[in-house]
Amino acid sequence: ANPRFRGAVAVADEGGWLDKLFAYFIDEPTYHQYEDIVEAGRRIHSMPVKPKFLVTCFPEEPLTGAVDIWCIQMRFLPEGIPHGLMDRERYYEAVNRRMEAGDEVWWYTAGAVRPFPTLQIEDDPAAFRLIPWLQQLYGIGGFLHWETANWNQPFEEPFVKFFGNGEGVLIY
């Protein structure tokens, strides 16, 4: 592993907060990246002191054992809200199997995902407050916000293009 990564793991271990450290460097992978994920998981799990390995993807069987924290998009889980491109029951069962096996499951928002709650300023004011309640309801252990200061435009243009205000920008 990278010496800087090993150093960060050592500092976390010495400080007593290794349980809060996780490796996150493969985002929303395609199946073409599964071998890389399995290899990264093998390397991380072979370290003398092991951080958890987080991947933002659906719990897929080929990745079982490599991933410690499955981070799913929150729009995939709640029942009762229509989504025509997925088998929600299969998805929910797979998530529950991973939790029952001892893996952690977190979630995140990505882009405009209404009717699901977001961190976007223009969203319903109750949306921010719904996220932890839904986490409790579904047994989701954490919330990943992919960026807090993704501000790369002139201050005269306050709207965050492509994502919406608050999605990737919590610090203005």
Side-chain angles (χ1 to χ4, degrees), residues 73 75-78 82-91:
Q73 287 190 25
R75 66 188 170 122
F76 291 148
L77 196 55
H83 191 293
L85 300 177
M86 69 180 66
D87 179 350
R88 243 185 240 295
E89 188 173 322
R90 177 182 156 274
Y91 196 87

Side-chain angles (χ1 to χ4, degrees), residues 32-112:
H32 296 97
Q33 296 170 290
Y34 283 9
E35 287 181 26
D36 295 334
I37 293 170
V38 170
E39 177 59 21
R42 186 193 63 73
R43 287 184 180 190
I44 290 169
H45 296 140
S46 70
M47 295 175 64
V49 178
K50 302 165 190 55
K52 295 174 185 170
F53 183 31
L54 179 145
V55 179
T56 51
C57 72
F58 174 79
E60 294 283 0
E61 195 61 38
L63 304 179
T64 299
V67 176
D68 302 303
I69 305 172
W70 303 91
C71 194
I72 62 175
Q73 287 190 25
M74 73 180 323
R75 66 188 170 122
F76 291 148
L77 196 55
E79 300 174 62
I81 300 175
H83 191 293
L85 300 177
M86 69 180 66
D87 179 350
R88 243 185 240 295
E89 188 173 322
R90 177 182 156 274
Y91 196 87
Y92 191 60
E93 287 172 5
V95 167
N96 280 330
R97 276 195 305 276
R98 294 314 328 141
M99 287 193 288
E100 289 168 4
D103 291 353
E104 289 184 52
V105 176
W106 293 12
W107 63 15
Y108 67 104
T109 64

Side-chain angles (χ1 to χ4, degrees), residues 94-150:
V95 167
N96 280 330
R97 276 195 305 276
R98 294 314 328 141
M99 287 193 288
E100 289 168 4
D103 291 353
E104 289 184 52
V105 176
W106 293 12
W107 63 15
Y108 67 104
T109 64
V113 293
R114 288 188 185 103
F116 301 97
T118 70
L119 299 182
Q120 294 178 5
I121 294 168
E122 292 85 359
D123 204 346
D124 188 291
F128 306 101
R129 293 166 182 87
L130 283 175
I131 293 171
W133 286 97
L134 289 170
Q135 280 183 224
Q136 180 68 28
L137 178 66
Y138 289 104
I140 303 298
F143 181 81
L144 175 74
H145 194 61
W146 64 276
E147 177 67 84
T148 59
N150 188 29

